[in-house]
PDB file of all heavy atoms in Angstrom:
ATOM      1  N   LYS I  10      81.114 113.168  72.921  1.00 87.00           N
ATOM      2  CA  LYS I  10      82.215 112.205  73.004  1.00 87.00           C
ATOM      3  C   LYS I  10      81.815 111.004  73.863  1.00 87.00           C
ATOM      4  O   LYS I  10      82.023 109.849  73.492  1.00 87.00           O
ATOM      5  CB  LYS I  10      83.450 112.891  73.603  1.00 87.00           C
ATOM      6  CG  LYS I  10      84.678 112.006  73.579  1.00 87.00           C
ATOM      7  CD  LYS I  10      85.865 112.669  74.249  1.00 87.00           C
ATOM      8  CE  LYS I  10      86.969 111.636  74.454  1.00 87.00           C
ATOM      9  NZ  LYS I  10      87.992 112.091  75.370  1.00 87.00           N
ATOM     10  N   LEU I  14      81.449 106.945  72.960  1.00 83.00           N
ATOM     11  CA  LEU I  14      82.109 105.866  73.686  1.00 83.00           C
ATOM     12  C   LEU I  14      81.094 104.845  74.211  1.00 83.00           C
ATOM     13  O   LEU I  14      81.372 103.665  74.297  1.00 83.00           O
ATOM     14  CB  LEU I  14      82.924 106.439  74.862  1.00 83.00           C
ATOM     15  CG  LEU I  14      84.161 107.237  74.478  1.00 83.00           C
ATOM     16  CD1 LEU I  14      84.749 107.929  75.702  1.00 83.00           C
ATOM     17  CD2 LEU I  14      85.205 106.344  73.824  1.00 83.00           C
ATOM     18  N   HIS I  54      86.126 100.076  98.672  1.00 80.00           N
ATOM     19  CA  HIS I  54      84.877  99.323  98.577  1.00 80.00           C
ATOM     20  C   HIS I  54      83.995  99.662  99.774  1.00 80.00           C
ATOM     21  O   HIS I  54      84.518  99.799 100.883  1.00 80.00           O
ATOM     22  CB  HIS I  54      85.177  97.818  98.564  1.00 80.00           C
ATOM     23  CG  HIS I  54      84.045  97.002  98.023  1.00 80.00           C
ATOM     24  ND1 HIS I  54      82.976  96.640  98.811  1.00 80.00           N
ATOM     25  CD2 HIS I  54      83.793  96.507  96.787  1.00 80.00           C
ATOM     26  CE1 HIS I  54      82.126  95.945  98.060  1.00 80.00           C
ATOM     27  NE2 HIS I  54      82.590  95.852  96.833  1.00 80.00           N
ATOM     28  N   ASP I  60      89.487  90.151 100.748  1.00 87.00           N
ATOM     29  CA  ASP I  60      89.970  88.790 100.537  1.00 87.00           C
ATOM     30  C   ASP I  60      88.890  87.721 100.410  1.00 87.00           C
ATOM     31  O   ASP I  60      88.916  86.719 101.114  1.00 87.00           O
ATOM     32  CB  ASP I  60      90.922  88.382 101.679  1.00 87.00           C
ATOM     33  CG  ASP I  60      92.224  89.152 101.611  1.00 87.00           C
ATOM     34  OD1 ASP I  60      92.407  89.886 100.622  1.00 87.00           O
ATOM     35  OD2 ASP I  60      93.042  89.018 102.531  1.00 87.00           O
ATOM     36  N   ARG I  63      88.258  82.234  95.965  1.00 97.00           N
ATOM     37  CA  ARG I  63      87.850  80.849  95.751  1.00 97.00           C
ATOM     38  C   ARG I  63      89.108  80.051  95.448  1.00 97.00           C
ATOM     39  O   ARG I  63      90.139  80.610  95.029  1.00 97.00           O
ATOM     40  CB  ARG I  63      86.846  80.704  94.608  1.00 97.00           C
ATOM     41  CG  ARG I  63      87.102  81.577  93.385  1.00 97.00           C
ATOM     42  CD  ARG I  63      86.171  81.228  92.256  1.00 97.00           C
ATOM     43  NE  ARG I  63      86.740  80.110  91.529  1.00 97.00           N
ATOM     44  CZ  ARG I  63      87.640  80.235  90.571  1.00 97.00           C
ATOM     45  NH1 ARG I  63      88.065  81.415  90.199  1.00 97.00           N
ATOM     46  NH2 ARG I  63      88.116  79.172  89.962  1.00 97.00           N
ATOM     47  N   ASP I  65      91.407  77.330  93.390  1.00 98.00           N
ATOM     48  CA  ASP I  65      91.572  77.126  91.945  1.00 98.00           C
ATOM     49  C   ASP I  65      91.076  75.734  91.553  1.00 98.00           C
ATOM     50  O   ASP I  65      91.866  74.827  91.312  1.00 98.00           O
ATOM     51  CB  ASP I  65      93.058  77.298  91.588  1.00 98.00           C
ATOM     52  CG  ASP I  65      93.290  77.178  90.094  1.00 98.00           C
ATOM     53  OD1 ASP I  65      92.339  77.406  89.322  1.00 98.00           O
ATOM     54  OD2 ASP I  65      94.434  76.848  89.714  1.00 98.00           O
ATOM     55  N   VAL I  67      88.303  73.545  89.048  1.00 98.00           N
ATOM     56  CA  VAL I  67      87.453  73.644  87.861  1.00 98.00           C
ATOM     57  C   VAL I  67      86.038  73.180  88.208  1.00 98.00           C
ATOM     58  O   VAL I  67      85.855  72.132  88.825  1.00 98.00           O
ATOM     59  CB  VAL I  67      88.035  72.794  86.711  1.00 98.00           C
ATOM     60  CG1 VAL I  67      87.076  72.773  85.520  1.00 98.00           C
ATOM     61  CG2 VAL I  67      89.392  73.343  86.281  1.00 98.00           C
ATOM     62  N   GLN I  68      85.068  74.001  87.831  1.00 97.00           N
ATOM     63  CA  GLN I  68      83.659  73.653  88.007  1.00 97.00           C
ATOM     64  C   GLN I  68      83.067  73.386  86.622  1.00 97.00           C
ATOM     65  O   GLN I  68      83.585  73.878  85.621  1.00 97.00           O
ATOM     66  CB  GLN I  68      82.903  74.825  88.663  1.00 97.00           C
ATOM     67  CG  GLN I  68      83.473  75.285  89.982  1.00 97.00           C
ATOM     68  CD  GLN I  68      83.270  74.253  91.084  1.00 97.00           C
ATOM     69  OE1 GLN I  68      82.313  73.475  91.049  1.00 97.00           O
ATOM     70  NE2 GLN I  68      84.185  74.230  92.042  1.00 97.00           N
ATOM     71  N   SER I  70      81.185  73.741  83.266  1.00 97.00           N
ATOM     72  CA  SER I  70      80.793  74.922  82.508  1.00 97.00           C
ATOM     73  C   SER I  70      79.378  74.736  81.978  1.00 97.00           C
ATOM     74  O   SER I  70      78.801  73.654  82.099  1.00 97.00           O
ATOM     75  CB  SER I  70      81.758  75.133  81.343  1.00 97.00           C
ATOM     76  OG  SER I  70      82.998  75.576  81.820  1.00 97.00           O
ATOM     77  N   LEU I  71      78.864  75.808  81.373  1.00 97.00           N
ATOM     78  CA  LEU I  71      77.545  75.718  80.744  1.00 97.00           C
ATOM     79  C   LEU I  71      77.607  74.806  79.530  1.00 97.00           C
ATOM     80  O   LEU I  71      78.597  74.810  78.792  1.00 97.00           O
ATOM     81  CB  LEU I  71      77.112  77.103  80.244  1.00 97.00           C
ATOM     82  CG  LEU I  71      76.384  78.063  81.163  1.00 97.00           C
ATOM     83  CD1 LEU I  71      76.037  79.313  80.358  1.00 97.00           C
ATOM     84  CD2 LEU I  71      75.120  77.411  81.710  1.00 97.00           C
ATOM     85  N   ARG I  73      77.071  74.046  75.833  1.00 97.00           N
ATOM     86  CA  ARG I  73      77.208  75.043  74.764  1.00 97.00           C
ATOM     87  C   ARG I  73      75.868  75.522  74.228  1.00 97.00           C
ATOM     88  O   ARG I  73      75.686  76.705  73.946  1.00 97.00           O
ATOM     89  CB  ARG I  73      78.058  74.483  73.623  1.00 97.00           C
ATOM     90  CG  ARG I  73      78.208  75.471  72.481  1.00 97.00           C
ATOM     91  CD  ARG I  73      79.403  75.212  71.634  1.00 97.00           C
ATOM     92  NE  ARG I  73      79.272  73.972  70.906  1.00 97.00           N
ATOM     93  CZ  ARG I  73      80.296  73.369  70.292  1.00 97.00           C
ATOM     94  NH1 ARG I  73      81.505  73.885  70.351  1.00 97.00           N
ATOM     95  NH2 ARG I  73      80.119  72.255  69.642  1.00 97.00           N
ATOM     96  N   ASP I  84      76.138  79.905  65.082  1.00 93.00           N
ATOM     97  CA  ASP I  84      76.129  78.668  64.316  1.00 93.00           C
ATOM     98  C   ASP I  84      76.255  77.526  65.327  1.00 93.00           C
ATOM     99  O   ASP I  84      75.948  77.718  66.498  1.00 93.00           O
ATOM    100  CB  ASP I  84      77.249  78.668  63.256  1.00 93.00           C
ATOM    101  CG  ASP I  84      78.627  78.928  63.837  1.00 93.00           C
ATOM    102  OD1 ASP I  84      78.869  78.530  64.992  1.00 93.00           O
ATOM    103  OD2 ASP I  84      79.475  79.526  63.135  1.00 93.00           O
ATOM    104  N   GLU I  86      78.770  76.233  66.723  1.00 95.00           N
ATOM    105  CA  GLU I  86      79.839  76.336  67.716  1.00 95.00           C
ATOM    106  C   GLU I  86      80.004  77.726  68.312  1.00 95.00           C
ATOM    107  O   GLU I  86      80.457  77.861  69.435  1.00 95.00           O
ATOM    108  CB  GLU I  86      81.184  75.970  67.067  1.00 95.00           C
ATOM    109  CG  GLU I  86      81.298  74.547  66.579  1.00 95.00           C
ATOM    110  CD  GLU I  86      82.670  74.289  65.991  1.00 95.00           C
ATOM    111  OE1 GLU I  86      83.210  75.207  65.324  1.00 95.00           O
ATOM    112  OE2 GLU I  86      83.199  73.190  66.211  1.00 95.00           O
ATOM    113  N   TYR I  88      79.206  82.226  68.507  1.00 95.00           N
ATOM    114  CA  TYR I  88      78.384  83.408  68.308  1.00 95.00           C
ATOM    115  C   TYR I  88      78.828  83.983  66.979  1.00 95.00           C
ATOM    116  O   TYR I  88      80.001  83.934  66.620  1.00 95.00           O
ATOM    117  CB  TYR I  88      78.657  84.452  69.396  1.00 95.00           C
ATOM    118  CG  TYR I  88      78.462  83.960  70.805  1.00 95.00           C
ATOM    119  CD1 TYR I  88      79.510  83.351  71.501  1.00 95.00           C
ATOM    120  CD2 TYR I  88      77.243  84.128  71.462  1.00 95.00           C
ATOM    121  CE1 TYR I  88      79.337  82.899  72.805  1.00 95.00           C
ATOM    122  CE2 TYR I  88      77.067  83.681  72.768  1.00 95.00           C
ATOM    123  CZ  TYR I  88      78.115  83.065  73.436  1.00 95.00           C
ATOM    124  OH  TYR I  88      77.945  82.630  74.714  1.00 95.00           O
ATOM    125  N   ARG I  89      77.881  84.571  66.249  1.00 93.00           N
ATOM    126  CA  ARG I  89      78.266  85.253  65.003  1.00 93.00           C
ATOM    127  C   ARG I  89      77.939  86.724  65.138  1.00 93.00           C
ATOM    128  O   ARG I  89      76.877  87.094  65.635  1.00 93.00           O
ATOM    129  CB  ARG I  89      77.523  84.658  63.808  1.00 93.00           C
ATOM    130  CG  ARG I  89      77.838  83.198  63.566  1.00 93.00           C
ATOM    131  CD  ARG I  89      77.353  82.771  62.195  1.00 93.00           C
ATOM    132  NE  ARG I  89      78.304  83.171  61.176  1.00 93.00           N
ATOM    133  CZ  ARG I  89      79.178  82.314  60.603  1.00 93.00           C
ATOM    134  NH1 ARG I  89      79.199  81.054  60.941  1.00 93.00           N
ATOM    135  NH2 ARG I  89      79.998  82.742  59.692  1.00 93.00           N
ATOM    136  N   VAL I  90      78.894  87.542  64.719  1.00 91.00           N
ATOM    137  CA  VAL I  90      78.716  88.993  64.818  1.00 91.00           C
ATOM    138  C   VAL I  90      79.135  89.618  63.495  1.00 91.00           C
ATOM    139  O   VAL I  90      79.849  88.993  62.715  1.00 91.00           O
ATOM    140  CB  VAL I  90      79.579  89.592  65.955  1.00 91.00           C
ATOM    141  CG1 VAL I  90      79.169  89.010  67.297  1.00 91.00           C
ATOM    142  CG2 VAL I  90      81.053  89.370  65.694  1.00 91.00           C
ATOM    143  N   ALA I  92      81.219  91.437  60.789  1.00 80.00           N
ATOM    144  CA  ALA I  92      82.657  91.277  60.609  1.00 80.00           C
ATOM    145  C   ALA I  92      83.482  92.219  61.479  1.00 80.00           C
ATOM    146  O   ALA I  92      83.220  93.406  61.553  1.00 80.00           O
ATOM    147  CB  ALA I  92      83.020  91.479  59.150  1.00 80.00           C
ATOM    148  N   VAL I  93      84.464  91.636  62.151  1.00 67.00           N
ATOM    149  CA  VAL I  93      85.398  92.407  62.948  1.00 67.00           C
ATOM    150  C   VAL I  93      86.697  92.410  62.172  1.00 67.00           C
ATOM    151  O   VAL I  93      87.278  91.364  61.946  1.00 67.00           O
ATOM    152  CB  VAL I  93      85.642  91.725  64.302  1.00 67.00           C
ATOM    153  CG1 VAL I  93      86.584  92.565  65.135  1.00 67.00           C
ATOM    154  CG2 VAL I  93      84.339  91.480  65.018  1.00 67.00           C
ATOM    155  N   VAL I  96      91.107  95.877  63.712  1.00 41.00           N
ATOM    156  CA  VAL I  96      91.354  96.476  65.025  1.00 41.00           C
ATOM    157  C   VAL I  96      91.084  95.506  66.171  1.00 41.00           C
ATOM    158  O   VAL I  96      90.122  94.769  66.146  1.00 41.00           O
ATOM    159  CB  VAL I  96      90.437  97.707  65.178  1.00 41.00           C
ATOM    160  CG1 VAL I  96      90.656  98.362  66.508  1.00 41.00           C
ATOM    161  CG2 VAL I  96      90.703  98.663  64.041  1.00 41.00           C
TER     162      VAL I  96
ATOM    163  N   ARG K  20      94.289  76.331  86.908  1.00 98.00           N
ATOM    164  CA  ARG K  20      93.391  75.348  86.292  1.00 98.00           C
ATOM    165  C   ARG K  20      92.097  76.034  85.852  1.00 98.00           C
ATOM    166  O   ARG K  20      91.541  75.728  84.818  1.00 98.00           O
ATOM    167  CB  ARG K  20      93.076  74.238  87.292  1.00 98.00           C
ATOM    168  CG  ARG K  20      94.232  73.286  87.505  1.00 98.00           C
ATOM    169  CD  ARG K  20      93.808  72.110  88.364  1.00 98.00           C
ATOM    170  NE  ARG K  20      93.719  72.504  89.768  1.00 98.00           N
ATOM    171  CZ  ARG K  20      94.739  72.421  90.626  1.00 98.00           C
ATOM    172  NH1 ARG K  20      95.907  71.950  90.230  1.00 98.00           N
ATOM    173  NH2 ARG K  20      94.593  72.785  91.882  1.00 98.00           N
ATOM    174  N   SER K  21      91.621  76.963  86.687  1.00 98.00           N
ATOM    175  CA  SER K  21      90.342  77.613  86.394  1.00 98.00           C
ATOM    176  C   SER K  21      90.563  79.102  86.112  1.00 98.00           C
ATOM    177  O   SER K  21      91.645  79.638  86.349  1.00 98.00           O
ATOM    178  CB  SER K  21      89.381  77.419  87.570  1.00 98.00           C
ATOM    179  OG  SER K  21      89.873  78.057  88.730  1.00 98.00           O
ATOM    180  N   GLY K  26      84.827  79.256  87.799  1.00 98.00           N
ATOM    181  CA  GLY K  26      85.427  77.923  87.844  1.00 98.00           C
ATOM    182  C   GLY K  26      85.596  77.259  86.485  1.00 98.00           C
ATOM    183  O   GLY K  26      85.930  76.075  86.417  1.00 98.00           O
ATOM    184  N   PRO K  35      85.069  75.251  70.664  1.00 97.00           N
ATOM    185  CA  PRO K  35      84.617  76.615  70.969  1.00 97.00           C
ATOM    186  C   PRO K  35      83.407  76.642  71.898  1.00 97.00           C
ATOM    187  O   PRO K  35      82.507  75.811  71.787  1.00 97.00           O
ATOM    188  CB  PRO K  35      84.237  77.177  69.594  1.00 97.00           C
ATOM    189  CG  PRO K  35      84.990  76.356  68.613  1.00 97.00           C
ATOM    190  CD  PRO K  35      85.167  75.005  69.219  1.00 97.00           C
ATOM    191  N   ASN K  36      83.424  77.599  72.805  1.00 98.00           N
ATOM    192  CA  ASN K  36      82.290  77.880  73.686  1.00 98.00           C
ATOM    193  C   ASN K  36      81.833  76.691  74.531  1.00 98.00           C
ATOM    194  O   ASN K  36      80.649  76.534  74.806  1.00 98.00           O
ATOM    195  CB  ASN K  36      81.122  78.451  72.868  1.00 98.00           C
ATOM    196  CG  ASN K  36      81.486  79.803  72.286  1.00 98.00           C
ATOM    197  OD1 ASN K  36      81.834  80.722  73.026  1.00 98.00           O
ATOM    198  ND2 ASN K  36      81.466  79.922  70.959  1.00 98.00           N
ATOM    199  N   THR K  39      82.580  77.984  79.206  1.00 98.00           N
ATOM    200  CA  THR K  39      82.043  79.292  79.619  1.00 98.00           C
ATOM    201  C   THR K  39      80.915  79.094  80.630  1.00 98.00           C
ATOM    202  O   THR K  39      80.344  78.008  80.734  1.00 98.00           O
ATOM    203  CB  THR K  39      81.492  80.094  78.417  1.00 98.00           C
ATOM    204  OG1 THR K  39      80.305  79.460  77.930  1.00 98.00           O
ATOM    205  CG2 THR K  39      82.503  80.217  77.294  1.00 98.00           C
ATOM    206  N   ILE K  53      87.371  85.949  93.139  1.00 97.00           N
ATOM    207  CA  ILE K  53      88.788  85.888  92.757  1.00 97.00           C
ATOM    208  C   ILE K  53      89.417  84.523  93.005  1.00 97.00           C
ATOM    209  O   ILE K  53      89.235  83.928  94.068  1.00 97.00           O
ATOM    210  CB  ILE K  53      89.595  86.943  93.550  1.00 97.00           C
ATOM    211  CG1 ILE K  53      88.958  88.325  93.394  1.00 97.00           C
ATOM    212  CG2 ILE K  53      91.049  86.991  93.087  1.00 97.00           C
ATOM    213  CD1 ILE K  53      89.373  89.285  94.496  1.00 97.00           C
ATOM    214  N   ASN K  54      90.178  84.057  92.034  1.00 98.00           N
ATOM    215  CA  ASN K  54      90.936  82.810  92.129  1.00 98.00           C
ATOM    216  C   ASN K  54      92.202  83.065  92.958  1.00 98.00           C
ATOM    217  O   ASN K  54      93.072  83.848  92.555  1.00 98.00           O
ATOM    218  CB  ASN K  54      91.288  82.369  90.701  1.00 98.00           C
ATOM    219  CG  ASN K  54      92.028  81.044  90.643  1.00 98.00           C
ATOM    220  OD1 ASN K  54      92.668  80.638  91.609  1.00 98.00           O
ATOM    221  ND2 ASN K  54      91.942  80.379  89.496  1.00 98.00           N
ATOM    222  N   ARG K  55      92.294  82.417  94.116  1.00 97.00           N
ATOM    223  CA  ARG K  55      93.411  82.631  95.040  1.00 97.00           C
ATOM    224  C   ARG K  55      94.765  82.343  94.366  1.00 97.00           C
ATOM    225  O   ARG K  55      95.737  83.073  94.527  1.00 97.00           O
ATOM    226  CB  ARG K  55      93.242  81.696  96.238  1.00 97.00           C
ATOM    227  CG  ARG K  55      94.228  81.925  97.378  1.00 97.00           C
ATOM    228  CD  ARG K  55      94.185  80.767  98.379  1.00 97.00           C
ATOM    229  NE  ARG K  55      92.829  80.421  98.775  1.00 97.00           N
ATOM    230  CZ  ARG K  55      92.160  81.030  99.769  1.00 97.00           C
ATOM    231  NH1 ARG K  55      92.741  81.976 100.463  1.00 97.00           N
ATOM    232  NH2 ARG K  55      90.926  80.668 100.063  1.00 97.00           N
ATOM    233  N   TYR K  85      83.616  95.555  72.259  1.00 88.00           N
ATOM    234  CA  TYR K  85      84.221  94.677  71.272  1.00 88.00           C
ATOM    235  C   TYR K  85      83.522  93.329  71.409  1.00 88.00           C
ATOM    236  O   TYR K  85      83.224  92.909  72.529  1.00 88.00           O
ATOM    237  CB  TYR K  85      85.732  94.552  71.530  1.00 88.00           C
ATOM    238  CG  TYR K  85      86.477  94.169  70.293  1.00 88.00           C
ATOM    239  CD1 TYR K  85      86.645  95.082  69.257  1.00 88.00           C
ATOM    240  CD2 TYR K  85      86.981  92.884  70.133  1.00 88.00           C
ATOM    241  CE1 TYR K  85      87.298  94.722  68.104  1.00 88.00           C
ATOM    242  CE2 TYR K  85      87.635  92.522  68.975  1.00 88.00           C
ATOM    243  CZ  TYR K  85      87.788  93.441  67.961  1.00 88.00           C
ATOM    244  OH  TYR K  85      88.429  93.088  66.816  1.00 88.00           O
ATOM    245  N   ASP K 138      85.393  84.535  59.512  1.00 68.00           N
ATOM    246  CA  ASP K 138      84.934  83.358  58.775  1.00 68.00           C
ATOM    247  C   ASP K 138      85.408  83.446  57.333  1.00 68.00           C
ATOM    248  O   ASP K 138      85.062  84.378  56.610  1.00 68.00           O
ATOM    249  CB  ASP K 138      83.407  83.285  58.820  1.00 68.00           C
ATOM    250  CG  ASP K 138      82.922  81.916  58.379  1.00 68.00           C
ATOM    251  OD1 ASP K 138      83.748  81.161  57.816  1.00 68.00           O
ATOM    252  OD2 ASP K 138      81.759  81.600  58.595  1.00 68.00           O
ATOM    253  N   ALA K 144      80.269  87.039  55.660  1.00 74.00           N
ATOM    254  CA  ALA K 144      81.004  88.264  55.955  1.00 74.00           C
ATOM    255  C   ALA K 144      81.099  88.522  57.449  1.00 74.00           C
ATOM    256  O   ALA K 144      81.547  89.555  57.867  1.00 74.00           O
ATOM    257  CB  ALA K 144      80.350  89.455  55.265  1.00 74.00           C
ATOM    258  N   ASP K 145      80.635  87.566  58.267  1.00 84.00           N
ATOM    259  CA  ASP K 145      80.664  87.866  59.690  1.00 84.00           C
ATOM    260  C   ASP K 145      81.814  87.161  60.414  1.00 84.00           C
ATOM    261  O   ASP K 145      82.510  86.311  59.862  1.00 84.00           O
ATOM    262  CB  ASP K 145      79.327  87.600  60.380  1.00 84.00           C
ATOM    263  CG  ASP K 145      78.651  86.350  59.870  1.00 84.00           C
ATOM    264  OD1 ASP K 145      79.225  85.728  58.966  1.00 84.00           O
ATOM    265  OD2 ASP K 145      77.581  86.008  60.393  1.00 84.00           O
ATOM    266  N   SER K 146      82.016  87.540  61.681  1.00 90.00           N
ATOM    267  CA  SER K 146      83.066  86.953  62.497  1.00 90.00           C
ATOM    268  C   SER K 146      82.448  85.992  63.492  1.00 90.00           C
ATOM    269  O   SER K 146      81.302  86.163  63.921  1.00 90.00           O
ATOM    270  CB  SER K 146      83.831  88.037  63.252  1.00 90.00           C
ATOM    271  OG  SER K 146      84.559  88.831  62.351  1.00 90.00           O
ATOM    272  N   ARG K 147      83.224  84.987  63.859  1.00 93.00           N
ATOM    273  CA  ARG K 147      82.764  83.994  64.829  1.00 93.00           C
ATOM    274  C   ARG K 147      83.477  84.254  66.148  1.00 93.00           C
ATOM    275  O   ARG K 147      84.673  84.529  66.171  1.00 93.00           O
ATOM    276  CB  ARG K 147      83.085  82.589  64.331  1.00 93.00           C
ATOM    277  CG  ARG K 147      82.561  82.320  62.926  1.00 93.00           C
ATOM    278  CD  ARG K 147      83.047  80.962  62.436  1.00 93.00           C
ATOM    279  NE  ARG K 147      82.310  79.883  63.112  1.00 93.00           N
ATOM    280  CZ  ARG K 147      82.862  78.742  63.510  1.00 93.00           C
ATOM    281  NH1 ARG K 147      84.156  78.538  63.334  1.00 93.00           N
ATOM    282  NH2 ARG K 147      82.144  77.810  64.092  1.00 93.00           N
ATOM    283  N   ILE K 148      82.752  84.151  67.239  1.00 95.00           N
ATOM    284  CA  ILE K 148      83.308  84.454  68.553  1.00 95.00           C
ATOM    285  C   ILE K 148      83.330  83.205  69.431  1.00 95.00           C
ATOM    286  O   ILE K 148      82.320  82.534  69.615  1.00 95.00           O
ATOM    287  CB  ILE K 148      82.475  85.545  69.271  1.00 95.00           C
ATOM    288  CG1 ILE K 148      82.283  86.772  68.380  1.00 95.00           C
ATOM    289  CG2 ILE K 148      83.127  85.909  70.605  1.00 95.00           C
ATOM    290  CD1 ILE K 148      83.537  87.559  68.096  1.00 95.00           C
ATOM    291  N   ASP K 283      89.483 107.449  77.994  1.00 83.00           N
ATOM    292  CA  ASP K 283      88.398 106.968  77.161  1.00 83.00           C
ATOM    293  C   ASP K 283      87.869 105.612  77.615  1.00 83.00           C
ATOM    294  O   ASP K 283      86.783 105.213  77.241  1.00 83.00           O
ATOM    295  CB  ASP K 283      88.850 106.859  75.717  1.00 83.00           C
ATOM    296  CG  ASP K 283      88.759 108.207  75.015  1.00 83.00           C
ATOM    297  OD1 ASP K 283      88.300 109.162  75.653  1.00 83.00           O
ATOM    298  OD2 ASP K 283      89.143 108.271  73.855  1.00 83.00           O
ATOM    299  N   PRO K 290      82.499  97.349  91.630  1.00 93.00           N
ATOM    300  CA  PRO K 290      81.808  97.159  92.909  1.00 93.00           C
ATOM    301  C   PRO K 290      81.547  95.686  93.227  1.00 93.00           C
ATOM    302  O   PRO K 290      81.221  95.353  94.369  1.00 93.00           O
ATOM    303  CB  PRO K 290      80.495  97.933  92.711  1.00 93.00           C
ATOM    304  CG  PRO K 290      80.280  97.969  91.242  1.00 93.00           C
ATOM    305  CD  PRO K 290      81.632  97.963  90.602  1.00 93.00           C
ATOM    306  N   VAL K 296      94.052  92.098 100.289  1.00 94.00           N
ATOM    307  CA  VAL K 296      95.075  92.598 101.198  1.00 94.00           C
ATOM    308  C   VAL K 296      96.310  91.703 101.099  1.00 94.00           C
ATOM    309  O   VAL K 296      96.201  90.478 101.062  1.00 94.00           O
ATOM    310  CB  VAL K 296      94.547  92.653 102.652  1.00 94.00           C
ATOM    311  CG1 VAL K 296      95.673  92.995 103.618  1.00 94.00           C
ATOM    312  CG2 VAL K 296      93.440  93.688 102.739  1.00 94.00           C
TER     313      VAL K 296
END
Side-chain angles (χ1 to χ4, degrees):
Chain I
K10 186 183 168 194
L14 290 171
H54 199 278
D60 291 354
R63 40 172 276 275
D65 183 23
V67 174
Q68 304 291 332
S70 288
L71 273 183
R73 179 158 67 194
D84 55 32
E86 296 181 322
Y88 304 88
R89 298 194 81 102
V90 298
V93 182
V96 180
Chain K
R20 286 187 284 270
S21 64
N36 295 303
T39 69
I53 307 160
N54 183 336
R55 188 192 312 274
Y85 204 72
D138 194 347
D145 39 358
S146 292
R147 307 174 74 219
I148 308 292
D283 277 357
V296 172

